Amino acid sequence: MDASPELVPTRDIDIEVPLLTRVEGEGSLEFTARNGHIEKLQLCIFEPPRLFEKFLEGQDFTEVPHIAARVCGVCPIAYQMTSIRAMEKVFGVPENPWVHAMRRIIYYGEWLQSHALHINLFAAPDFLGFGDALEMANRFPEAVRRGMQLQSLGNDMLRLLGGRSVHPIGLRVGGFHRAPTKHEVSDLVDKLLAAHDMVREFAVWAVALPCPDDEQDYVSVAIRHPREYGLNEGRLVSDAGLDIDFSEYPQHFREHQVAHSTAHYSMMDGRSYFLGPLARMNLNFDRLPLEIQDFARDLGLVFPARNMFRNVAARVLECYLAIVDSLKILQGYKLPTRPWQDFTLRAGVGHHCTEAPRGMIYHRFEINDRGRVIAATMIPPTSQNQARMEQNLHVAVERFGLAHSDDELRDLCEKVIRNYDPCLSCSTHFLKLRVNRA
Amino acid sequence: MTILVAGLGSDQGADRFGWEVIGALETFVLPALVTLVACRSPAELTSLLLSSRYAIIIDAFLGMGPPGHLSIIDPDSLEDFELCGGGGAHGIGVVEAIQLARALGYPIDHCQIIGLDVTKPDMRLESAWVPMAVSKILAILTNHLQIC
């Protein structure tokens, strides 16, 4: 994406993208360039505040998972799981091995359905030059069908433990309301076995997509666990030396408001940082099963990677992980005596982080001795990535060259933003450009 | 291959219709090949259609009234209806999800859409509407299973 000398513009550029159309929120993008340099490049999220943290105040702890799930229609498990674990920290509930394993299964389900959907329907048309997934499906029906099957398998995993994929209801403080029967687990194992070769084919296809090179200097932040690929438990680490307990999050991460966005910006020790599949892969590649590490090397993948578009490869390797690790867990499935652990209510403050499909999510809950919420804080990955996205756009656009046409600039911006799979970039055609050239 | 009954909706007002119908159908003992799914977003629909041999999709739509009127909608005329789940998550609505399934080889005449006219987006879901739809769906299923 290097700019050739002839592409250095002699004109001023004012580009306004008034509406990033999407489902989970609304935003816009605008940049102004003078004398070949970007003066302003802002990703503006103007979604009204949703006030969920305030809604939770005064609620009984048993209501929290159901309300938290409503924050996001795409990744309800992330909100449920993080709030549940934060409250379990307050009540002193350790995870037993069965609950821990089943929580990984349901979270893998969310990863698989979200990643497969993103790669298949949103990222791939970008890289292959199709206007949308429908156009791509007419040309590559088998590839699209395979992605849909993996997405569907992810939803099956969600239903196994969540009861339904629509705002699942199976999770509770202490574990799950119900343990799946052996028959239900056996059915899912059959589907996972059938998907094993399919996900490898999906990975080969996705890694071969003609993604741009977008080498960037950034700091990855993710959960790291002593033995597992970071997901639900562990410590928060970065490749800049951070290694903290989740309870130390407020001491290192600070949110602030900016005039152009209703989403808070977040900085780690004063600088932007990067969350999501590539950040996780950069920090946890050695925690993947050897089968997946070898497969990645065979595909020529090397982590840590600086090319932001390696996010696609990281996502597809996480799809593979979801299937391999779920098979390992479920092939040894045993019915528990009871699918939850008892606990005693007590007052206190609990912090927890988990890895949503789009990156790390942080929750803090303050609970009184009757189990009611005094205060809640929920920091989603998209707002944490917002500052990094703007920096990414800035560098990518300058390297690309401002003399490119508006359509080419819009196309690049769409790819860069969509690569983060933020809630605000969900639709396939989300940038409507209004251009004013001086 | 299953017979899919998919209810689309959200937890808002009459848009709960699709989910409520699925909830009501879950109280019946249905043949094992009937799969009931409350869809979180139309983006789920394509893969569900592809793994079914026949499908009934349930959604609310904003029509001319009267509220509570049930319509059987031909998938080919779906674009003429303003479905409550029409926009869908990720920009994939019901229309796009069905078009995508069709592009991937799903025979569109194996799909029926049952729409409830709720007239206005903020309409309350009346309790009589759900059993009315359930009866219709059970009749379609019975008929379909007899033919098969």
Side-chain angles (χ1 to χ4, degrees):
Chain A
M1 289 201 304
D2 290 338
S4 53
E6 65 272 22
L7 292 181
V8 175
T10 54
R11 59 186 168 78
D12 291 343
I13 302 173
D14 291 291
I15 294 181
E16 184 185 355
V17 183
L19 181 65
L20 309 177
T21 59
R22 61 192 168 93
V23 172
E24 300 297 333
E26 294 180 345
S28 65
L29 178 75
E30 54 183 289
F31 68 82
T32 305
R34 301 276 181 263
N35 302 317
H37 294 285
I38 295 170
E39 274 188 3
K40 181 171 79 170
L41 199 162
Q42 292 178 333
L43 179 63
C44 315
I45 296 178
F46 47 82
E47 175 88 347
R50 298 174 67 202
L51 309 175
F52 269 91
E53 290 152 321
K54 205 68 184 168
F55 294 154
L56 285 166
E57 288 180 13
Q59 298 290 340
D60 189 83
F61 75 97
T62 56
E63 297 293 331
V64 172
H66 307 300
I67 297 171
R70 266 67 182 180
V71 175
C72 183
V74 180
C75 42
I77 296 297
Y79 286 88
Q80 291 186 309
M81 195 76 81
T82 317
S83 63
I84 285 170
R85 284 299 289 140
M87 292 189 292
E88 286 179 351
K89 297 269 179 72
V90 176
F91 304 142
V93 189
E95 267 196 331
N96 76 27
W98 187 91
V99 170
H100 177 75
M102 293 305 115
R103 283 177 171 168
R104 286 185 78 83
I105 297 289
I106 196 167
Y107 223 138
Y108 280 142
E110 184 158 283
W111 277 15
L112 184 59
Q113 64 88 12
S114 177
H115 286 354
L117 178 74
H118 173 81
I119 295 166
N120 197 36
L121 298 190
F122 307 128
D126 263 355
F127 303 133
L128 294 172
F130 292 106
D132 56 31
L134 188 59
E135 202 181 305
M136 192 174 87
N138 286 319
R139 177 79 186 278
F140 297 112
E142 287 312 310
V144 174
R145 183 187 287 269
R146 184 177 52 210
M148 305 294 315
Q149 287 172 316
L150 290 170
Q151 181 194 340
S152 182
L153 177 59
N155 283 327
D156 289 340
M157 292 161 73
L158 281 165
R159 287 189 197 100
L160 178 77
L161 287 145
R164 62 188 190 194
S165 65
V166 185
H167 300 136
I169 50 171
L171 295 85
R172 53 166 284 177
V173 174
F176 292 87
H177 288 287
R178 172 185 174 273
T181 64
K182 286 196 169 183
H183 179 70
E184 290 168 329
V185 170
S186 171
D187 282 351
L188 185 61
V189 166
D190 288 345
K191 290 180 181 176
L192 288 163
L193 284 168
H196 185 269
D197 287 347
M198 191 191 302
V199 78
R200 288 172 65 96
E201 290 164 12
F202 185 55
V204 170
W205 173 78
V207 169
L209 288 170
C211 302
D213 281 329
D214 185 17
E215 295 276 331
Q216 300 253 340
D217 181 25
Y218 62 89
V219 175
S220 298
V221 175
I223 292 171
R224 185 163 168 87
H225 185 276
R227 293 172 303 281
E228 301 165 343
Y229 191 83
L231 173 55
N232 245 349
E233 305 295 327
R235 290 172 67 79
L236 208 50
V237 303
S238 81
D239 47 18
L242 183 83
D243 185 354
I244 59 170
D245 186 83
F246 298 152
S247 62
E248 297 172 79
Y249 180 100
Q251 294 154 34
H252 293 270
F253 295 82
R254 290 284 164 83
E255 287 189 297
H256 65 275
Q257 289 183 303
V258 293
H260 64 270
S261 179
T262 51
H264 287 178
Y265 276 54
S266 188
M267 308 296 266
M268 180 186 69
D269 297 325
R271 64 187 293 189
S272 73
Y273 55 101
F274 174 56
L275 306 176
L278 179 56
R280 290 194 286 261
M281 198 60 64
N282 284 341
L283 294 164
N284 286 296
F285 184 78
D286 62 336
R287 294 290 188 264
L288 289 171
L290 287 176
E291 167 188 346
I292 302 175
Q293 289 187 40
D294 290 343
F295 178 75
R297 288 190 193 100
D298 289 347
L299 291 177
L301 298 171
V302 177
F303 295 99
R306 294 287 107 191
N307 179 0
M308 304 306 292
F309 285 101
R310 279 294 184 220
N311 227 348
V312 177
R315 260 185 210 105
V316 82
L317 291 179
E318 288 189 342
C319 290
Y320 191 4
L321 170 69
I323 287 170
V324 168
D325 211 13
S326 298
L327 267 174
K328 184 180 162 193
I329 292 167
L330 292 178
Q331 283 178 320
Y333 181 76
K334 288 187 174 59
L335 275 172
T337 311
R338 205 175 47 186
W340 72 84
Q341 297 155 264
D342 277 330
F343 54 91
T344 305
L345 294 184
R346 67 185 189 202
V349 174
H351 308 254
H352 200 74
C353 297
T354 70
E355 290 285 351
R358 286 147 194 82
M360 178 265 293
I361 175 173
Y362 164 79
H363 284 191
R364 175 189 181 276
F365 276 80
E366 186 177 357
I367 308 283
N368 69 18
D369 57 6
R370 288 174 294 121
R372 293 203 172 263
V373 176
I374 297 171
T377 302
M378 301 191 291
I379 303 181
T382 294
S383 68
Q384 296 188 76
N385 263 340
Q386 198 175 346
R388 174 89 273 280
M389 266 190 274
E390 282 190 356
Q391 288 177 353
N392 191 156
L393 279 165
H394 199 286
V395 173
V397 166
E398 280 207 329
R399 270 195 201 145
F400 184 56
L402 294 167
H404 281 89
S405 70
D406 295 341
D407 282 347
E408 288 168 321
L409 287 168
R410 179 184 58 195
D411 183 56
L412 174 71
C413 290
E414 283 195 359
K415 284 178 182 165
V416 168
I417 295 172
R418 194 177 283 123
N419 186 44
Y420 287 74
D421 191 19
C423 285
L424 62 89
S425 69
C426 291
S427 70
T428 50
H429 285 285
F430 64 88
L431 291 185
K432 291 182 182 171
L433 274 172
R434 195 173 77 208
V435 183
N436 300 303
R437 293 186 188 275
Chain B
M1 297 289 269
T2 62
I3 296 173
L4 170 71
V5 185
L8 286 146
S10 69
D11 45 14
Q12 303 295 317
D15 194 32
R16 284 166 34 230
F17 176 64
W19 293 1
E20 293 288 335
V21 170
I22 295 299
L25 286 168
E26 282 170 344
T27 64
F28 290 82
V29 179
L30 298 172
L33 79 167
V34 176
T35 302
L36 303 174
V37 182
C39 278
R40 171 176 49 194
S41 93
E44 282 182 76
L45 203 51
T46 307
S47 54
L48 290 168
L49 287 172
L50 291 173
S51 59
S52 71
R53 71 171 195 218
Y54 182 78
I56 301 169
I57 297 167
I58 309 145
D59 200 359
F61 70 95
L62 306 177
M64 301 299 287
H69 177 71
L70 279 180
S71 297
I72 307 281
I73 302 171
D74 178 355
D76 280 325
S77 64
L78 198 55
E79 289 181 72
D80 300 336
F81 290 81
E82 188 179 352
L83 295 174
C84 287
H90 297 94
I92 293 183
V94 180
V95 173
E96 291 80 11
I98 292 174
Q99 283 175 341
L100 187 54
R102 184 182 221 166
L104 296 174
Y106 184 77
I108 204 69
D109 56 342
H110 288 201
C111 173
Q112 286 204 47
I113 297 147
I114 296 185
L116 175 82
D117 190 343
V118 298
T119 313
K120 291 186 295 187
D122 56 352
M123 179 73 71
R124 272 186 53 203
L125 182 67
E126 298 295 335
S127 57
W129 296 346
V130 172
M132 192 170 63
V134 167
S135 300
K136 186 157 264 183
I137 291 162
L138 290 174
I140 294 170
L141 285 174
T142 305
N143 186 43
H144 183 77
L145 290 165
Q146 281 171 351
I147 292 169
C148 296

